[in-house]
Amino acid sequence: MGFKCQGLVCTFCVVMLLFLQETRAGIHSSNASRLNGRKKVSGCNLFRGRWVVDTSYPLYDSSGCLFIDDEFNCQKYGRRDNQYLKYSWQPDSCKIPRFNGADFLRRWRGKKIMFVGDSLSLNMWESLSCMIHAAVPKAKTTFSRRDSLSSVTFDSYGVTLYMYRTPYLVDIVRENVGKVLNLNSIEAGNAWKGMDMLIFNSWHWWVHTGRSQGWDYIRDGSALYKNMDRLTAFSKGLTTWGRWVDQNIDPSKTKVFFQGISPTHYQ
């Protein structure tokens, strides 16, 4: 698990650079029905490139960040090597600036950013919180965790980073038969409203079976299934998510991103 979770620091830099580029350009995010294709900003495809050794990395010392879960804090708990942390992403067609946490806070003053999804979103949320905190280590912060919702607020700037943990995006509800994955319902989405940026992800929990499966039955409309082709279920669930975004999010006020798929990372 260590390599995957720590390595997300580098991946996250690409995501955050895209955020900053969007801010500079004043580009409004499209709604869900238009979220497709590779993102190009100012003529540069940020997703086509390579990892290069960068001795100035990492952007923060994970052992000293208060926002990382113990199971992800490899350096704090004795991992001896650190070379895997010293890579940065280099696009083929442009050079991108190093992430600047203080600049990010100034640009996003008074704004709210929420990650929604599984452990990939959790790692991204923790990494961003630590990247910013490393840039302003004396800034007052408020840290909260309650049920599915966690948050870090940089009080002086009014910037709040939220994490809403929901592996499937659609709801799991309790019915007489047990826990039911409802492919047509996103009641939890009420907690996602009012954000300036939403970053979603979902995938590998959909294919879990046995004890790691998060539900007993699947509901699709009025039909109840003991099982279903998982890609079909995933497609139906994301269709519900896309419809929720179209109906509830004003793209002129809220930027919406859907992240790539995370592999399992238990070793």
Side-chain angles (χ1 to χ4, degrees):
M1 182 175 286
F3 183 89
K4 173 64 180 176
C5 299
Q6 295 276 355
L8 283 171
V9 176
C10 297
T11 305
F12 195 80
C13 292
V14 179
V15 179
M16 297 317 302
L17 283 164
L18 177 55
F19 293 171
L20 287 173
Q21 293 277 14
E22 289 259 342
T23 304
R24 288 173 178 147
I27 299 171
H28 294 304
S29 175
S30 170
N31 63 17
S33 63
R34 297 166 60 193
L35 290 176
N36 50 41
R38 292 295 192 182
K39 187 67 183 178
K40 289 187 177 181
V41 180
S42 301
C44 177
N45 187 338
L46 298 178
F47 296 92
R48 185 177 296 278
R50 65 193 187 282
W51 294 105
V52 297
V53 175
D54 188 336
T55 57
S56 70
Y57 274 62
L59 294 172
Y60 65 90
D61 179 1
S62 62
S63 65
C65 185
L66 302 176
F67 312 125
I68 302 181
D69 290 327
D70 287 347
E71 59 266 33
F72 301 144
N73 208 334
C74 304
Q75 295 297 310
K76 181 178 179 180
Y77 289 96
R79 178 161 178 167
R80 296 179 180 179
D81 63 308
N82 63 5
Q83 185 60 37
Y84 65 98
L85 297 173
K86 297 183 181 299
Y87 285 86
S88 63
W89 179 253
Q90 177 59 59
D92 291 337
S93 55
C94 64
K95 291 188 179 297
I96 50 180
R98 182 181 173 91
F99 178 79
N100 185 321
D103 182 56
F104 183 88
L105 287 173
R106 288 191 292 270
R107 291 177 182 276
W108 287 87
R109 185 182 294 274
K111 303 295 186 181
K112 296 180 289 186
I113 299 171
M114 178 178 278
F115 294 85
V116 183
D118 57 28
S119 55
L120 176 62
S121 286
L122 174 64
N123 292 160
M124 295 289 191
W125 171 72
E126 291 181 352
S127 287
L128 177 57
S129 300
C130 293
M131 287 162 63
I132 294 175
H133 186 261
V136 288
K138 296 182 179 180
K140 185 179 183 297
T141 59
T142 301
F143 182 47
S144 173
R145 276 196 165 176
R146 183 178 179 182
D147 300 326
S148 299
L149 182 63
S150 303
S151 66
V152 175
T153 300
F154 292 84
D155 298 325
S156 299
Y157 299 87
V159 175
T160 301
L161 312 177
Y162 294 93
M163 168 63 201
Y164 194 96
R165 188 75 178 265
T166 173
Y168 303 97
L169 299 182
V170 294
D171 295 329
I172 292 182
V173 297
R174 176 68 65 174
E175 297 188 18
N176 292 334
V177 294
K179 292 185 293 184
V180 176
L181 179 64
N182 191 334
L183 300 179
N184 311 118
S185 172
I186 304 186
E187 292 297 328
N190 289 327
W192 311 342
K193 297 177 181 178
M195 299 294 147
D196 297 284
M197 179 174 290
L198 287 165
I199 307 105
F200 295 92
N201 96 288
S202 183
W203 167 241
H204 75 77
W205 280 93
W206 289 85
V207 296
H208 286 198
T209 58
R211 292 184 178 180
S212 64
Q213 179 176 292
W215 43 266
D216 301 309
Y217 288 86
I218 296 177
R219 178 172 295 285
D220 183 18
S222 61
L224 194 65
Y225 301 93
K226 184 64 177 176
N227 204 350
M228 179 187 291
D229 178 82
R230 301 307 175 85
L231 282 176
T232 299
F234 180 63
S235 176
K236 289 176 178 288
L238 280 195
T239 298
T240 298
W241 166 80
R243 187 181 304 115
W244 182 92
V245 172
D246 284 339
Q247 294 174 353
N248 292 277
I249 299 301
D250 181 349
S252 70
K253 298 179 180 179
T254 303
K255 298 179 185 296
V256 177
F257 292 86
F258 189 88
Q259 296 191 80
I261 289 172
S262 170
T264 55
H265 46 94
Y266 293 107
Q267 301 303 320

